[in-house]
Amino acid sequence: MSNDDPTYEGGCTCRFVRYRMTSKPMFVHCCHCRWCQRETGASFALNALVETERVVLLHGEVDVVDTPSNSGKGQRIARCPRCRIAVWSNYAGAGDALRFVRVGTLDEPDRLPPDIHIFTSSKQPWVVLPPGTPAVAEYYRAAEMWPKESLERRAAVRARSTQQ
Ligand SMILES: [Zn+2]
Ligand SMILES: [Zn+2]
């Protein structure tokens, strides 16, 4: 991580929880699965995938809520204990070392548009995807889609989590 890495700050609605992402994410998912539609109450979820240690809590604390997930393995959603807004999740499949930050909780969410649209098989039909951004019916292989730098970061995360 270099000093000129961009940082991103965000938080919940009541401003009890404030956090900083200390670098750009590895990849940004726009997920159109029915689970994400239900959790957001809308049409898709926008998640920035980043190493857990690159998300620093600046103020407050989070309540972690065990929540069922599409994979059946569950996810742990971190919510503000006061206003209950969800700020990030950890999925059992990806492990504790990888955090899915909810892009809509960033102060400047426009900075992180999707790198890929996933689960478009259940996309709501009125959502029109832009040409030029990859889109897949369900999931995909990171090795085929992620930039080299992000794959190296992911490999480092995996190496650390298997050492534990
Ligand atoms: Zn709050
Ligand atoms: Zn989803």
Side-chain angles (χ1 to χ4, degrees):
M1 207 179 349
S2 66
N3 286 336
D4 45 271
D5 241 330
T7 63
Y8 304 80
E9 292 191 6
C12 66
T13 297
C14 80
R15 297 188 73 83
F16 177 64
V17 172
R18 293 291 301 164
Y19 68 85
R20 176 182 297 140
M21 242 165 66
T22 61
S23 78
K24 66 179 195 266
M26 292 182 258
F27 216 59
V28 178
H29 281 175
C30 186
C31 184
H32 299 264
C33 82
R34 294 295 186 202
W35 292 69
C36 287
Q37 292 177 13
R38 188 165 51 237
E39 282 164 28
T40 58
S43 307
F44 49 78
L46 196 54
N47 287 311
L49 280 61
V50 68
E51 296 90 332
T52 289
E53 76 269 12
R54 296 193 190 188
V55 183
V56 180
L57 204 53
L58 301 174
H59 184 265
E61 59 191 5
V62 293
D63 248 5
V64 175
V65 182
D66 283 313
T67 309
S69 74
N70 194 12
S71 72
K73 295 176 186 166
Q75 62 169 318
R76 294 164 62 75
I77 302 183
R79 295 181 177 275
C80 170
R82 297 183 183 175
C83 72
R84 297 286 161 189
I85 296 293
V87 285
W88 59 72
S89 309
N90 288 80
Y91 286 89
D96 287 340
L98 191 59
R99 198 160 268 179
F100 288 62
V101 173
R102 300 201 171 196
V103 171
T105 67
L106 292 168
D107 297 339
E108 298 176 290
D110 299 0
R111 290 169 66 198
L112 294 179
D115 292 312
I116 192 168
H117 293 270
I118 61 175
F119 288 99
T120 60
S121 57
S122 51
K123 180 178 74 62
Q124 292 176 15
W126 62 267
V127 176
V128 180
L129 300 183
T133 302
V136 292
E138 292 198 351
Y139 212 69
Y140 69 99
R141 288 168 48 83
E144 292 166 6
M145 295 287 185
W146 287 25
K148 182 169 169 286
E149 184 200 347
S150 297
L151 287 170
E152 288 167 2
R153 283 168 62 182
R154 189 180 72 144
V157 166
R158 289 189 164 173
R160 276 200 303 280
S161 51
T162 53
Q163 277 164 12
Q164 285 163 3

